[in-house]
Structure formats: structure tokens, C-alpha cells
Amino acid sequence: MLAVTFISPALLLLLGMSVFPLLWALYLSFTDYSATRGGPARFIGFANYTAILTSAQVHQRALTTLIYVVGAVTLQTVLGFGIAYLISRRAHGRGVLTTLFLVPMMLSPVVVGLFWRFMLDAQFGVINSMLGSLGLGQVEWLTRQRTALISLIVVDTWQWTPFIMLIALAGLTAVPKYLYEAASIDRASEWFRFRTITLPLVWPLLLIAVLFRSIEAFRLFDLVYILTNGGPGVSTETLSFHVYKVAFLGFNTGTASAYGILMVLVVIVLTQLYLRYLNKLKEG
Amino acid sequence: MAVSVDEAVSTGPARDRTPPARRFGGRGRSVLEVALLTALAVVMLFPVLWMIETSIKENRDVYAVPAEFFGFTVTMDHFKDVFVAPDGGRSDLSVAFLNSAVVAGVSTLLATVLGVPAAWAYSRFAVRAKKDQLFFILSTRFMPPVVVVIPIFLMYRQLGLIDSKLGLILIYTAFNVPFTIWMMKGFVDEVPAEYEDAAMLDGYTRLQAFWRYTLPLLVPGIAATAVFALIFSWNEFVFAIFLTSSDDVRTAPPAIAGLIGGTTTDWGLVAAASVVFALPVLVFAYLVRKHLIAGVTLGAVRR
């Protein structure tokens, strides 16, 4: 059958490169295997899982991740939607404006991370230099516990606001003009029009963007690695970053696998949610 | 109804604020909006401009305090350093750029060859549990890379694929196939199935009908999809840093990140390398700007 011959090569690759490794990780998560010590893996049941779920360290990383995801995604949504709204009200230059705003999104996290690290440098960074010429004090952006996480959120927001903007703009330009015209005949206020026409029509699409960004932010690793390397202390260690430390610096492969499987479960739930809204949007 | 709405909105302090806005009419507000947009655009673009500026500054200007925005000496030395080693040979970075091009190019080609037929089949045939299959395919793309890399690392160690371009190509292909299928399915859905039916009435087989009638119509879509796959592979960092180590294999992202390893960092070189690295992405992204929404949502949202 043609369909099978066309689909199976792709599925086989995914089975080999995604499913098989995950099943292997699932198996390892019930053992005390260590990639460096070698030797046979001993079966230890759910010990890895209980260790992770009861670990205060992991709870702290979960909290950091939560603050980061909620903080970054909220900021991006507000800013992105705001910019999209402003652009959608312009009659001219929309194309140019949109293109300019999209640049950060297309850059590699490595470039973004490195560059912000340079700009946020406490001694010769341009941000502190600008603060200085405004007569404001210097901030140790990446080397203080409290500001490091904020810096991470700011950088992520800088990179991904365009993403929300792009999708919100698509939603905003799809709102039929006659609805606004009808509303202005009724002399409805601007805020009323926004709340009753714009928002309900754009919201489903915006929600998709928000969920998508949440998944991405949850699994983020590279930006943390480059910008702060989890520090100072453990103040910017997200769950993704912690898994890396357990697996590649602590070499507790079994524990790291269990940790990874738990993260995969979270991602699967979020993806389910994402696809459910997507289906709703397509049918509605 | 309209009256009650106006009343509801303009009660209390709001009443004091609304009249001036009305008096200015559209104009004052419009100016304000343009100013706000301009300010936001400057904030968004400043880091990029600063990166370009740093890449053409001499080292003493790079570290100047307070920062120098204008009036520095322009130099191309950093760009020379990106490509030419101090001893005159090829620099490690230029090798890394070449590796990136090879890995991204080959993995994109493979993902296209595997993904396009699959997308066509999902679009045209009644495949069993189609929705579940498509969900499964997309969810593999959402897996956290740090988690996937643990078993992949062990697997590659067994197969001898650690620190090899083939290993990277395989994982990038697996990472781009879900995207290609989702993105291409949308493009195939837009081509009416009737074209193929008509061709089959003329005596062509289904495969010939696909090859002769549908595929040519898909070429622009395939090109756009391939460009996105190329960008994803080119920008990818996590797998690259954990699965490769030697200079001959390493791609550009870990190589550029490696520039900040020591006690001092040559930020001019980092900036120049970043500019060289980002430029092709921006050019490609501009070429596929019409499909950007579908591209960045992995083919899920289309307008």
C-alpha cells in the first residue's frame, strides 16, 4: 500500500531516534546506572523517582522554572500583543515594521545569550554604561542572585516577544472590519470595542501562542547555559539545566533519566493541551 | 444600548480623561502611537545594532567606559580573525561554519525526502488513527533536548557515532521530520485532490499522479519548509555541544560559545563571528517571510 510505504520511513526514523531512546531512558530510570562508572545497571524500582519528587533541591528548581516560565511568557504576551495592536492600527509601513520587530526571534539562542552577556557585563557592558550616563547606579545583572533570574527573563522576553506579536498580528488583521464599523455606529467606546470584539476574536489564537511559548520556555536550556550557567549559586538553575548537571556533571544517569521522564510527562500534558486548543481553533 | 455603554464607561474619574482624548481626535493619539512604536523598535533592534557595531570596533573601543556609540575607528580585523587563523591557515571557526553548512544541509535534505511523501500520504489517504499518529509525530519534536540527549549519548557511544557529523545529521533529521510533515501537510491540503483523481482517470497510477501533478505544485512549499529546517539545524546548540567535541566535527554554535571559555574574552571576535553566523539566517528568514507563522509554530498555525 502506497500510504504505508510513504509514511513508514519517516516513522521508523522517529521510532529509532526518539521512541527507542526514550524507552531506554525509561528503563534506566529504574536502575542505578552511571555512564562513567560503567558496570551493569542494578534494578532499584521507583527509588530514583521518590528521590527526585521528595528532593528539596528539585522543588527549588521547579519554583525557579515556574517563575521563569510565568514571568517570561506573561511579559512576552503583554508586550507582543501591545506591539501587534499598535502595528495593526497603522495603515502604512506595516510590512517594514513587522520585519524589523521579527529579527530577534530568528537569531540562535547562542548568539542572543552571548550578546546579552556582553551587554549586561557589570564593568564594560553597554547597559550599565547607559544607566551611568543617566546618573543611575550600576547593576550587577548576571552576578547577583536576584537580578540574574530577572536578566534571564528580560533576555528571553527580548527574543520571543516577536513570536507573540507575529501570531497576535495574524489574529488582529483577521478581525472583520464591519464589526468595528457596526460598533462605531453604536458609539461604543474604544475599550468596549477592544473587550467585546477584538479580544474574544484574537484570544483563541493568542492562547495557542502562549501555550507554545510555555512549552518552549519549560524545556529551555541553551540560553541559561550561555547567559548565567545556572548561577550565581543556583539562582537561575531551571529544571532543564538541573537535569544536565545531574546527568553530565554528576553522572547519575539513572537519576537523570527518571528526572527526564518526569519532564517528558509534563511536556506531553502541555502538548495535549496545545493540540486540543489547536483542533478547537480549526473546527471553530 | 449604546448610551448605557457610554455611561458605564465614563462614570467616575474616567470622565475627566476621556474628553481631552476626543478633542485631540485621531491625530494626537496617532502621533503618540507612532512614537511608542518607534521607541519599542529601537529597544528591540538596539542589541543587534550593538553587535554589528562591536564587530567593527577596535579592541580598545570595545571595552571603552563609557561605551562609545559613534566616532570609533572602523576595522575589519575581527572578521578576518573569524576566517583566518593567526598563522595564516584556516581558523577553527571557519571549519566550524563549514561543518554547520554540511550538517544543516544534509539533514534538511534527508528530512525533506522523508517528510514530504509522508505528509502527502497523511493528507490524501485514510490512515488508521491518523490524528494520534500526527500527535505522536509532533510530540517527538517537543521533547526537551537535554532529556533526549542522555539516551542518545549512550546509544551513540555504543554505535560509535559520538563526535561524528553523521551522528549530528541523524539527530537533526529526526528533529526536522516532524516539522516537515506538519508544515507540508498544510501545503498538500491546499492542492485539490481532484487533480490526482483526474490524472488517474487518464490512466496514470496514483504515484505517477503525485509525481507529475501534485509535486510540481508543492515546490514553493517544499522550498519554504526546507529553509525553516535549515534554520533550525543551523541554530541548534544542545545536541551539538553534547554529541561533538573535536574541532573537525564541531558546528558553529558550540564553536562560538567556546570563545568565552577562558579568563579573557575577545568580544570583538565573538561579535564578528555572531554576525557572520546570523546573517544567512536573516536572509533566509526574509525569503520565507510569507510562511513565517506556519514555520515558527512548527506548521500548526496557518493564515
Side-chain angles (χ1 to χ4, degrees):
Chain A
M1 178 69 193
L2 204 53
V4 176
T5 45
F6 269 33
I7 291 172
S8 43
L11 281 186
L12 281 178
L13 180 79
L14 291 181
L15 285 178
M17 299 296 293
S18 294
V19 179
F20 174 68
L22 278 178
L23 287 178
W24 195 350
L26 187 66
Y27 155 71
L28 288 176
S29 73
F30 294 107
T31 69
D32 65 349
Y33 181 73
S34 165
T36 42
R37 198 186 60 227
R42 250 181 341 117
F43 186 78
I44 54 168
F46 281 93
N48 284 325
Y49 288 92
T50 43
I52 289 161
L53 289 173
T54 55
S55 152
Q57 276 192 337
V58 173
H59 294 166
Q60 201 205 332
R61 306 311 188 273
L63 186 67
T64 309
T65 310
L66 190 72
I67 294 173
Y68 162 70
V69 171
V70 172
V73 174
T74 308
L75 266 176
Q76 286 155 26
T77 308
V78 172
L79 274 174
F81 186 81
I83 295 174
Y85 188 66
L86 289 178
I87 290 183
S88 74
R89 293 171 54 88
R90 298 262 63 78
H92 305 288
R94 263 196 217 174
V96 181
L97 270 174
T98 318
T99 314
L100 285 180
F101 272 112
L102 288 177
V103 169
M105 185 176 77
M106 301 315 297
L107 300 175
S108 166
V110 174
V111 170
V112 172
L114 282 173
F115 232 74
W116 277 92
R117 195 165 144 165
F118 175 57
M119 296 205 313
L120 291 173
D121 192 280
Q123 275 122 47
F124 50 82
V126 67
I127 304 285
N128 269 353
S129 173
M130 286 197 276
L131 287 180
S133 47
L134 288 173
L136 298 167
Q138 309 286 291
V139 181
E140 288 190 39
W141 293 103
L142 300 172
T143 43
R144 278 285 157 83
Q145 301 256 358
R146 193 172 297 169
T147 48
L149 189 56
I150 295 175
S151 304
L152 191 65
I153 290 174
V154 166
V155 176
D156 195 73
T157 302
W158 177 77
Q159 183 169 23
W160 294 109
T161 294
F163 178 87
I164 304 270
M165 182 207 83
L166 182 67
I167 292 177
L169 199 56
L172 285 169
T173 43
V175 175
K177 275 231 160 55
Y178 67 84
L179 286 178
Y180 289 129
E181 281 155 13
S184 59
I185 290 169
D186 283 349
R187 288 181 56 236
S189 75
E190 179 96 32
W191 168 242
F192 181 80
R193 265 186 285 171
F194 179 80
R195 201 165 42 95
T196 53
I197 301 172
T198 314
L199 210 53
L201 281 170
V202 179
W203 180 242
L205 201 58
L206 199 60
L207 195 64
I208 302 267
V210 168
L211 270 171
F212 190 91
R213 276 305 308 148
S214 304
I215 299 175
E216 293 267 295
F218 177 74
R219 56 187 206 132
L220 172 103
F221 171 80
D222 20 22
L223 193 62
V224 182
Y225 182 86
I226 302 265
L227 198 64
T228 61
N229 207 12
V234 294
S235 55
T236 53
E237 264 190 26
T238 56
L239 290 169
S240 272
F241 195 83
H242 197 211
V243 170
Y244 146 75
K245 274 177 92 175
V246 175
F248 289 94
L249 303 177
F251 293 107
N252 293 315
T253 315
T255 317
S257 300
Y259 207 153
I261 293 293
L262 289 172
M263 285 190 68
V264 165
L265 288 180
V266 174
V267 170
I268 287 178
V269 170
L270 287 174
T271 313
Q272 269 287 1
L273 213 62
Y274 170 74
L275 285 176
R276 186 165 302 167
Y277 281 116
L278 202 63
N279 274 334
K280 230 192 215 168
L281 187 75
K282 279 186 177 154
E283 283 155 15
Chain B
M1 178 200 159
V3 176
S4 69
V5 166
D6 257 21
E7 276 169 1
V9 172
S10 52
T11 43
R15 169 151 254 149
D16 306 330
R17 260 181 272 134
T18 25
R22 287 239 173 96
R23 217 176 304 137
F24 277 126
R27 169 105 9 119
R29 198 178 139 166
S30 183
V31 169
L32 195 73
E33 281 181 8
V34 171
L36 197 60
L37 263 181
T38 315
L40 284 165
V42 168
V43 171
M44 293 304 275
L45 286 178
F46 175 76
V48 180
L49 295 175
W50 191 243
M51 173 166 87
I52 296 169
E53 212 174 280
T54 307
S55 72
I56 53 171
K57 274 182 182 171
E58 282 180 0
N59 268 335
R60 80 189 137 79
D61 294 326
V62 168
Y63 299 102
V65 179
E68 288 178 9
F69 294 94
F70 307 103
F72 51 86
T73 329
V74 173
T75 171
M76 283 294 146
D77 286 356
H78 299 305
F79 285 97
K80 200 185 120 227
D81 291 344
V82 170
F83 294 105
V84 187
D87 60 13
R90 276 163 65 194
S91 69
D92 290 347
L93 271 174
S94 68
V95 176
F97 278 116
L98 206 63
N99 290 337
S100 267
V102 170
V103 170
V106 177
S107 64
T108 300
L109 192 72
L110 284 175
T112 307
V113 169
L114 288 173
V116 173
W120 177 70
Y122 278 120
S123 175
R124 290 290 189 263
F125 298 109
V127 183
R128 200 151 41 89
K130 188 193 281 185
K131 263 196 176 161
D132 294 331
Q133 287 194 29
L134 284 169
F135 169 73
F136 157 74
I137 288 171
L138 191 66
S139 58
T140 62
R141 180 59 166 68
F142 276 126
M143 291 303 134
V146 219
V147 174
V148 179
V149 83
I150 300 168
I152 289 280
F153 181 86
L154 299 174
M155 192 169 110
Y156 276 17
R157 207 167 61 172
Q158 294 282 319
L159 299 170
L161 284 172
I162 293 279
D163 202 20
S164 74
K165 279 182 213 156
L166 180 63
L168 272 192
I169 288 170
L170 278 176
I171 190 77
Y172 287 176
T173 306
F175 169 90
N176 275 326
V177 156
F179 164 72
T180 306
I181 292 178
W182 270 74
M183 185 90 173
M184 283 311 300
K185 186 175 172 297
F187 285 119
V188 180
D189 287 343
E190 283 166 9
V191 177
E194 285 76 16
Y195 291 2
E196 284 163 33
D197 298 340
M200 281 158 75
L201 282 180
D202 288 347
Y204 291 106
T205 65
R206 184 105 212 190
L207 189 62
Q208 283 170 325
F210 164 67
W211 189 258
R212 288 186 165 221
Y213 291 92
T214 311
L215 199 59
L217 292 174
L218 289 178
V219 168
I222 293 175
T225 308
V227 165
F228 280 108
L230 207 59
I231 292 176
F232 293 143
S233 312
W234 178 263
N235 279 348
E236 208 285 330
F237 175 70
V238 182
F239 292 118
I241 198 158
F242 290 122
L243 299 177
T244 63
S245 51
S246 64
D247 287 340
D248 317 334
V249 179
R250 218 164 41 155
T251 53
I256 296 173
L259 294 175
I260 56 164
T263 41
T264 54
T265 301
D266 185 351
W267 284 106
L269 181 62
V270 173
S274 303
V275 170
V276 174
F277 181 73
L279 208 61
V281 177
L282 294 181
V283 171
F284 276 125
Y286 186 73
L287 294 178
V288 291
R289 62 191 180 282
K290 258 169 51 191
H291 305 288
L292 215 49
I293 295 187
V296 295
T297 55
L298 308 179
V301 180
R302 318 182 65 90
R303 281 286 145 134

